[in-house]
Amino acid sequence: MPMCESCVGCLAYSMCGRDRKRLFCVVGVCDEDFVLLANGDLRKLDRPKRKRLKHLQFTGARIEIPHDDETLRRRIADYEFEARRDYSAEG
C-alpha cells in the first residue's frame, strides 16, 4: 500500500517486533517510510509507536480515529470480532 496522508485511520497488523500479530490503527505519518500507530492498549493515542511500513500488513479496513483510548480499543475489538465471524462463516 503506498504511503500518503490518506492512510491515516487504516488498520494494520504488526508483522515484526515484540508487538507482532497485534492490530493497530495508523494515527499519523512521519515520512515515506514510517507511520505512527496506536491501539489504545499497548500504545496510547498520546504516545503512538513509530513503525516502518514494511513491518506492517494492512487489512484494507479504515476507522475514524477517536479522541480517547477506550473508544479506539472498542473499535479495534469490533473489527477483530467481525473479521473472525466472517472467517468462521466461510469455513
Side-chain angles (χ1 to χ4, degrees):
M1 179 175 217
M3 186 70 288
C4 59
E5 293 296 324
S6 67
C7 202
V8 173
C10 291
L11 295 178
Y13 283 99
S14 172
M15 301 305 290
C16 297
R18 67 184 186 93
D19 58 4
R20 69 181 168 273
K21 298 183 181 178
R22 287 185 182 252
L23 187 60
F24 290 92
C25 178
V26 177
V27 295
V29 177
C30 291
D31 57 32
E32 61 189 30
D33 291 328
F34 289 92
V35 293
L36 298 174
L37 303 172
N39 66 358
D41 183 29
L42 184 67
R43 281 296 177 163
K44 309 285 186 185
L45 286 166
D46 62 347
R47 193 162 172 229
K49 178 169 182 58
R50 185 172 172 253
K51 191 94 168 167
R52 191 176 291 270
L53 279 174
K54 70 179 186 177
H55 295 153
L56 297 173
Q57 180 181 11
F58 287 89
T59 64
R62 179 183 298 267
I63 62 170
E64 182 181 335
I65 300 173
H67 297 290
D68 62 297
D69 293 313
E70 183 181 343
T71 306
L72 179 60
R73 277 193 306 268
R74 193 175 329 117
R75 289 183 183 170
I76 289 175
D78 289 346
Y79 171 79
E80 285 185 305
F81 177 77
E82 289 296 321
R84 285 192 184 117
R85 188 177 68 142
D86 292 344
Y87 178 75
S88 64
E90 290 175 5

